[in-house]
Amino acid sequence: MADTLPLLLRAARGEQVERPPVWMMRQAGRYMKVYRDLRDRHPGFRERSENPDLSYEISMQPFHAFQPDGVILFSDILTPLPGMGIDFDIIESKGPIIEPAIRSQAQVDALRPLDPAKALPFVGEVLSRLRQDVGNAATVLGFVGAPWTLAAYAVEGKSSKTYSVIKAMAFREPALLHQLLGHLADSIAAYVRYQIDSGAQVVQLFDSWAGQLSPIDYDVFAAPYQKRVIDQVKATHPDTPLILYISGSAGVLERMGRTGVDIVSLDWTVDMADGCARLPQHLGVQGNVDPGLLFGTPEAIRERILDTVRKAKGRKHILNLGHGILPGTPEENARVFFETGKAVHELLGAAV
Ligand code: CP3
């Protein structure tokens, strides 16, 4: 068994597998007591994510607790920004703060191309330690933010409900925004390659806020830059599966499938059967249980997992939530999610 490649990696590459692999977005984080205790001792998000010992320890917390099929690097999509000259912090209860926000031609001209090994050596160190220690018991996942979503943070300066500052830029100064998006795309492609070279076996691209765009604008400001990252990575690392996640993606699902990714991660507002029908058969699907189900009863969680797996039958499927697990989720319910996912075939057999 130890010689067999991990389940999630085999599934992501399109091999026939014994059951859908299972992991969770944000599976390391505030819903876990061990994480909250560590956060009390190390209150700075940047310390927790940029000190390799802490980032490694946090990445392993859900693996120790639940043995998911994927272990995701503990970091943030904003982590590479300082390496390009954009400073940030994450403030408890406020979220990310980018100060100063990037809004002028002079600021965009001053951005540096990211040199990941120099700017983010801790990421390489954590990924190689994870890869070595996890072995074939799970797949090590890297991740990045896609250009539109990173630009949204850089330009807005914080989380936004309306995206009015970046949309003002998109519809008044498109050339400036395209320059920023292009810079981000080339730097992020280099970062993905660095993560893969360091030990990431699958990489997820988060374009979390691309669902805020009308499809006609998604085609101009999001998709070409997702594709630019994917094309550059595939040119040098064709065998590493790439997953694309967007929150509120129902209006752009088919478009996501045309970016060159291997797996489309669905949020929970799309029925899994409809999502599968809208994507070509060769593409995998990930998801898509509503994170809110984990506030429900164990029976409700189990039932929804079975429904999801049944609907994805015949497809390459990675069982996951439709977005990150929410703070306040009972840890026993996260356990129900993982345990049900691992026993899904026995449970489905029993259900028919
Ligand atoms: O999945 C994992 O376990 C890996 C860790 C991870 C984090 N952020 C850690 C984190 C991942 C994959 C991310 C990605 C991320 N970060 C995204 C894309 C995924 C998504 O949710 O759509 C986005 C948009 C961000 C930006 C960001 N960072 C936000 C919106 C927040 C939350 C702010 C808040 O207070 O709710 C963060 C902070 C953050 N990143 C936390 C964690 C565990 C919570 C803060 C903390 O632990 O102190």
Side-chain angles (χ1 to χ4, degrees), residues 298 301-302 305 331-341:
I301 299 166
R302 278 190 210 108
I305 290 175
E331 289 183 60
E332 318 83 79
N333 283 351
R335 181 176 308 285
V336 170
F337 186 83
F338 288 114
E339 286 181 352
T340 306

Side-chain angles (χ1 to χ4, degrees), residues 5-6 21 38 108 120 122 175 181 221 243 247 310 340 343:
L5 286 178
L38 184 146
V108 175
L120 303 148
F122 47 89
L181 291 165
F221 297 108
I243 307 172
S247 179
R310 236 185 247 122
T340 306

Side-chain angles (χ1 to χ4, degrees), residues 283-304:
L283 289 182
V285 289
Q286 177 173 269
N288 70 341
V289 173
D290 180 352
L293 249 296
L294 299 194
F295 291 99
T297 63
E299 293 70 37
I301 299 166
R302 278 190 210 108
E303 214 173 288
R304 188 58 56 85

Side-chain angles (χ1 to χ4, degrees), residues 55-251:
S55 164
Y56 171 85
E57 184 180 341
I58 299 167
S59 305
M60 291 296 277
Q61 284 175 342
F63 185 64
H64 292 311
F66 310 116
Q67 294 81 51
D69 294 303
V71 173
I72 185 161
L73 166 76
F74 183 78
S75 183
D76 199 84
I77 58 167
L78 305 176
T79 301
L81 294 183
M84 300 175 224
I86 304 173
D87 201 19
F88 84 95
D89 206 351
I90 292 178
I91 313 290
E92 180 60 29
S93 81
K94 273 201 172 150
I97 301 290
I98 288 88
E99 179 68 65
I102 305 300
R103 294 181 183 172
S104 70
Q105 182 69 54
Q107 286 173 296
V108 175
D109 288 339
L111 295 178
R112 301 190 297 270
L114 181 70
D115 178 347
K118 232 168 140 192
L120 303 148
F122 47 89
V123 167
E125 185 183 332
V126 175
L127 284 169
S128 50
R129 279 169 66 183
L130 291 173
R131 181 79 186 82
Q132 180 160 3
D133 296 352
V134 165
N136 285 336
T139 299
V140 173
L141 294 133
F143 72 91
V144 294
W148 166 262
T149 293
L150 292 179
Y153 280 107
V155 172
E156 297 281 340
K158 55 184 166 50
S159 297
S160 172
K161 281 201 170 69
T162 56
Y163 299 88
S164 37
V165 185
I166 191 167
K167 287 190 180 177
M169 191 186 278
F171 303 131
R172 301 176 77 100
E173 301 175 279
L176 178 59
L177 182 55
H178 281 296
Q179 190 185 334
L180 173 60
L181 291 165
H183 185 98
L184 289 166
D186 295 340
S187 289
I188 288 302
Y191 187 35
V192 175
R193 289 169 165 162
Y194 176 69
Q195 292 192 12
I196 297 169
D197 291 340
S198 302
Q201 296 164 292
V202 173
V203 176
Q204 179 153 329
L205 276 65
F206 285 97
D207 212 349
S208 303
W209 311 139
Q212 296 290 326
L213 289 165
S214 292
I216 195 175
D217 300 316
Y218 176 87
D219 286 342
V220 174
F221 297 108
Y225 297 98
Q226 295 162 358
K227 195 166 179 312
R228 184 151 149 186
V229 174
I230 293 161
D231 287 348
Q232 287 182 36
V233 174
K234 288 288 182 190
T236 50
H237 298 73
D239 298 328
T240 303
L242 301 176
I243 307 172
L244 176 62
Y245 175 80
I246 295 178
S247 179
S249 58

Side-chain angles (χ1 to χ4, degrees), residues 265-318:
S265 193
L266 305 175
D267 75 21
W268 70 91
T269 64
V270 178
D271 188 84
M272 180 54 86
D274 297 338
C276 288
R278 289 171 56 189
L279 291 164
Q281 181 66 29
H282 72 276
L283 289 182
V285 289
Q286 177 173 269
N288 70 341
V289 173
D290 180 352
L293 249 296
L294 299 194
F295 291 99
T297 63
E299 293 70 37
I301 299 166
R302 278 190 210 108
E303 214 173 288
R304 188 58 56 85
I305 290 175
L306 296 186
D307 178 68
T308 306
V309 170
R310 236 185 247 122
K311 285 174 172 163
K313 200 169 168 343
R315 296 295 287 233
K316 170 160 81 175
H317 177 214
I318 299 172

